[in-house]
Amino acid sequence: MATVVRSRVEDPERIAAIRATGLLDEPESPGLRRLTRLAARLLRVPVSLVSLVLDDRQVFPSHLGLPEYWAALGETPMSHSFCQHVVTGDAPLVVTDAREHPLVRDNLAIEDLGVIAYAGMPIRVGGMTLGAFCAIDSSPHAWTGEELAILEDLAAAVASEVELARAARHAQETSAVVRRILEVSQDAYVSIDADGVIREWNPAAERLFGWSPAEAAGADLSALIVPEEFRAAHRAGLARVRASGRSELAGQRLELPALDRTGRTFPIEFSLQATWDVTGRPVFHAFLHDISTRRTAEEQLRRQAELIDAAPAAIIVRDADGTIRSWNRGAEQMYGWPADAVLGRNIHRLLATSFPKDLPHVEQALESTGVWQGELVHRRSDGNPVVSLSRHAVRPAADGVAVEVVETNTDITERRRAEEALAASERQFRVQFHQSTIGQVIIGLDGVIVHVNTAFAGMIGRDVATLPGTSMSRLTHPDDRDEDTRLLAGLFTEEHDSYERVKRLIHTDGHTVDVQVGKRLVRDAEGAPTHLIAVFQDITEQVRAERERDTAQTVLAERNDQLQAANQLKLDLMGMLSHDIGTPLTAIMGYGEVLTESDLPAPLAGSANRIVGAARRIDELRHNVLAMCTLDGGELKTERRVVPLAEALREALDAVEVSVPVDCPEHLAVLANPAHLRQIVTNFLTNATKYGGGATRISVRSDGAVTSIGVHDEGAGVPEELREHLFERYTRATGATAEGHGLGLHIVASLAAANGGEVAYRPNEPAGSVFALRLETAA
């Protein structure tokens, strides 16, 4: 297949770069208009224009002197374009008489636009030639070297204007993306200035608090959503920030009460961040959300935990292998072991568990049905045995992968003893029967109640005297009757002596009661069945508590996942914005420096210097934001190597264009990442320029193992109260006139630590400051 070779004019990337400037859709730029008029005046030509060359036409974002028809149209087809040759050749095109020039003598612009003499210089932006800045004469014109130099300088200025237009358009698009993210965010976003006046209020904030963005904008935040009892503290905190220039709460996750439009008070959680506007005043940003549901769930969990702890039965949570994970107060009382002594230990070895059959049988039942119940014999801490009516239920563990077993053990040692004593003393049995706190029932072989104790009668809201003669089936929930019948058949066929199960009884008022029931068939001396004994324990609250606890834990886990995703989104957004500023900013500084080096009139030279200065401050802030993202994300990595120190210090001085004495032995080397070393020293030199009148010298001292590098200045020095916080994040001196954001020294301290070193500050003598970096000396 043949390869399609596109000319430079048809390059899609170049065409896209032209469209990205926005100049095809916007009115004439004042800056381009001034440059176009300046070219016509200085070169004494009737026509000058800025031409952006597309693949099918050339468009004039600014022009002067074109015939009325073409001026109104603002563009020409390629048949009328001299500028296309500037793009194709990526070089200036100078024509004294177009009628005799072999490249353009057939161009229709000669007749239709009166183009006789032409001089066009490339407009280069981002490494691509987007078009030409040209001067046109209607008669032959022998262009002088000075004229062409003027035109070339003006073309560079035009390129800067085009780049600024592209950067402005990109900034607008980025701002629109950020605003759209805030509009669709599920968390409320609120921004206030240093006086507490609301600057931003997204739709989620309206849904949370009831105030529309139009109503909230410009309002006092404390009057709008802060409960009255907290307003004074809120305003005092803002006053401290205005006075000190820093916020102690910035970067923290906080929980506070808030008010909505109806006056309802509810708890909110928010993360607070602080930035500084162009005047150096703080601006606060917060993402907020209602945590009422979470607080309610936490309270429910607390109450459930209290209920479990207060239950008279032993409630134990263990792993499938028997490792104890939870041990309530009932278990402590039943077995005599405190919880902190048994957690992490094997329950079967601790209690010397004796199973009805064997442990594999229980494990098989749990694996197949998820539930096992029966009587177990355990050993207390004092060595005495205890008989437990035990129910084991399998449930998923917190990680959602493994399983755990919930054991509910009721001490039925006394009941066992009472049953054994029944044959010897009916009276003793009846005393035990009626005074037991566990519901007990004697049932005839026909299923009719013979005797019942007070505990059982109270369990279903009936009087003891009314129950004898009642069928037990009538008191059992209809859905549980078939299982009773099936298990009863097993007793008669001697498949088992007794059984335990959970079922539901019907209370006299109609509601159901969840009970743990154990039933045994009593036989006479010849082995013939005589009657049934059933023991009931009301576990309604226990069942309800377990269900509510499981639901609450699920809700809490889902909410935690949402919070982690929201926090990651904010970090990703910060990193994305910092990186996307870099490309246009580099171009702004580059072309700004070209302007400052050009022979411009004084007003324009001053403007160019201010552009370069502002761009460098933005670039410093961008690098600091990127560094903080790296540090906060735990992604800072460094590889140390041997660095000749004298050479590295000279490179740092060249980078900031500073010349000061350097006292450093030529042979001395340190172990460090060269880029990190250069960044730290450059930061010290820049700070000395900002706050100390400029660095006066750099000193280097080595004791063999450690080398110390000191940057000296003779400025006002650092206030004593600020020194211990100097390398903390967002630290700035109160009333500082130099622009800054308080991140630079925190970042260099982190970089030094990553390189196995440290930074420090000491007063200079007789005045000023010394910022020092200590690193390991290379062998």
Side-chain angles (χ1 to χ4, degrees), residues 50-95:
V50 176
S51 173
L52 297 180
V53 179
L54 300 172
D55 55 352
D56 60 347
R57 68 190 189 281
Q58 61 180 0
V59 179
F60 309 134
S62 180
H63 55 82
L64 178 68
L66 285 175
E68 182 177 352
Y69 170 79
W70 299 103
L73 192 60
E75 61 180 51
T76 72
M78 298 299 278
S79 59
H80 293 66
S81 173
F82 281 32
C83 297
Q84 64 177 309
H85 300 297
V86 176
V87 174
T88 299
D90 193 22
L93 175 63
V94 179
V95 179

Side-chain angles (χ1 to χ4, degrees), residues 201-279:
W201 185 274
N202 73 343
E206 178 180 1
R207 293 192 297 271
L208 183 61
F209 296 107
W211 301 97
S212 70
E215 294 170 317
D220 180 8
L221 179 74
S222 63
L224 210 62
I225 70 171
V226 177
E228 186 173 358
E229 61 269 28
F230 297 102
R231 289 174 186 168
H234 170 76
R235 290 167 179 155
L238 289 175
R240 285 194 299 272
V241 174
R242 289 195 297 270
S244 66
R246 68 176 186 271
S247 170
E248 296 179 355
L249 300 181
Q252 299 185 32
R253 188 177 297 279
L254 307 169
E255 292 184 9
L256 289 173
L259 282 175
D260 66 9
R261 186 167 192 157
T262 67
R264 177 179 71 96
T265 301
F266 59 97
I268 60 170
E269 181 180 70
F270 64 96
S271 56
L272 183 67
Q273 298 294 334
T275 59
W276 276 258
D277 62 17
V278 294
T279 67

Side-chain angles (χ1 to χ4, degrees), residues 11 46 159 195 225 307 379 390 443 472 568 571 608 610 647 656 661 669-670 701:
D11 181 6
D195 297 316
I225 70 171
L307 287 172
R379 181 182 61 203
S390 184
I443 308 168
M472 193 66 212
Q568 186 60 43
L571 288 176
R610 285 192 292 275
E647 181 182 352
V656 294
V670 294
R701 296 292 180 269

Side-chain angles (χ1 to χ4, degrees), residues 148 506 709:
L148 295 177
I506 301 174
I709 306 161

Side-chain angles (χ1 to χ4, degrees), residues 511-575:
H511 77 265
T512 60
V513 179
D514 294 294
V515 294
Q516 174 85 37
V517 57
K519 188 173 290 188
R520 177 177 292 276
L521 178 62
V522 179
R523 300 175 182 271
D524 60 16
E526 287 74 33
T530 59
H531 60 274
L532 297 158
I533 296 177
V535 179
F536 297 85
Q537 181 181 2
D538 186 350
I539 59 171
T540 303
E541 290 302 319
Q542 172 189 326
V543 171
R544 182 183 298 116
E546 290 175 354
R547 291 170 182 162
E548 292 176 350
R549 179 192 61 204
D550 293 344
T551 301
Q553 288 176 340
T554 300
V555 172
L556 189 60
E558 292 174 351
R559 190 56 179 163
N560 186 57
D561 290 342
Q562 293 171 359
L563 291 175
Q564 291 178 354
N567 187 58
Q568 186 60 43
L569 173 62
K570 288 180 281 186
L571 288 176
D572 290 346
L573 178 60
M574 184 183 297

